[in-house]
Amino acid sequence: MTSTTALELITVTKAYGETIAVDAIDLKVNANSYTCILGPSGCGKSSTLRMIAGHERVTFGDIILNGKNITDLAPAKRGTAMMFQNYALFPHLSVSENVAFSLKMKGAAKPERTAKAREMLDLVHMEDYAERLPSQLSGGQQQRIALARALITNPSVLLLDEPLSALDPFLRIRMRSELKRFQRDLGIPFIHVTHSQDEAMALADVIVVMNEARVEQAGTPRDVFNHPQTEFVARFMGGHNILAQPDGPIALRSDKIAVAVDAPEGKPAISATITDIEYLGTTFSLALQSENDGKISATLPDAAFLEKPLEIGQAVFLTWEADQAHRLSH
Ligand code: ADP
């Protein structure tokens, strides 16, 4: 993967009347990378994507694609392509005609359209389905057609708006790996909007976590999960406890907490009571209640637990290595 910047957003802002949907975000997307924009509903993900695609006007700021300012260009002139949540296939057109639709709009002759559509269908392994109607395809197949249709314009970047949300859980996981493979094969950046942490963790080279119209943190999945910088990111990515410490809040992964029966010396510790114990196969999950920090969860390896059985209602001390805690900026 190269680290050349393909797409850059500079203080990009979107206001719908009084509502600031995207608030001065800066973002660099590397060439040949898979970026997921992740955040809860209403945080501004789709507005950001739609501004990149040109389906929404930018209120303030600039969008640069491969060195060219595309902020005010028409969607078809930008070198971007978008794949939508519901695939938006035309029900009365064949698969081949759906894929070639944008070439028809550009006035390309039929032989050229058919040949190019065939090439795209090969790419997504749907060459045998060219004459079918969308209604004769499964959800996963419709998705591949939507992908072929987006790619026929030879885009410099592919934008995907919740592309897996219409699929059942089994297919979603399968299509997830296909999307990643397509991105690698094509070598162009994919920018994929999702509200699913799992999806972003599985797919992305870079996760951009958004909250309330701003970027909270951008980094590799490992970085964002293991080193959350803000309380929002720690809570949203899951698996962390937020603990109030004298010099500010920290995030501590539930599997980095040790449970001691006696007060430990020389380590940070808080006292808590066990409220629930669940066996999860290779680990035990403990729910705890502390006076200062409320609910806390700890995950203990099977062996550690069996050595020293614990009970619901028992008072314990929670300890951790200082270098495992991450200070939160807010
Ligand atoms: P997300 O994709 O993260 O769910 P959106 O970008 O769709 O978020 O929306 C961000 C905010 O902008 C929300 O408060 C939403 O209600 C508002 N919004 C989105 N589209 C419009 C619109 N066309 N007109 C007015 N407000 C909008």
Side-chain angles (χ1 to χ4, degrees), residues 14-17 19-22 37 39-50 56 161-162 193-195 210 213:
K14 178 71 198 176
Y16 299 102
T19 310
I20 306 290
V22 178
I37 303 183
S41 177
C43 72
K45 306 180 295 295
S46 297
S47 298
T48 303
L49 204 69
R50 292 202 302 264
E56 204 70 76
D161 192 0
E162 298 270 5
V193 157
T194 179
H195 61 270
M210 283 189 72

Side-chain angles (χ1 to χ4, degrees), residues 222-240:
R222 284 179 72 87
D223 195 29
V224 170
F225 185 74
N226 290 320
H227 306 280
Q229 282 164 9
T230 68
E231 184 167 335
F232 173 82
V233 175
R235 288 195 194 283
F236 190 70
M237 296 308 293
H240 283 86

Side-chain angles (χ1 to χ4, degrees), residues 40 163 320:
W320 60 92

Side-chain angles (χ1 to χ4, degrees), residues 249-287:
I250 58 164
L252 187 62
R253 258 171 54 177
S254 49
D255 58 336
K256 301 293 184 194
I257 290 185
V259 179
V261 176
D262 304 314
E265 278 177 34
K267 275 188 188 172
I270 49 180
S271 56
T273 307
I274 299 176
T275 56
D276 201 7
I277 301 175
E278 257 183 30
Y279 181 49
L280 302 175
T282 53
T283 55
F284 277 91
S285 166
L286 299 192

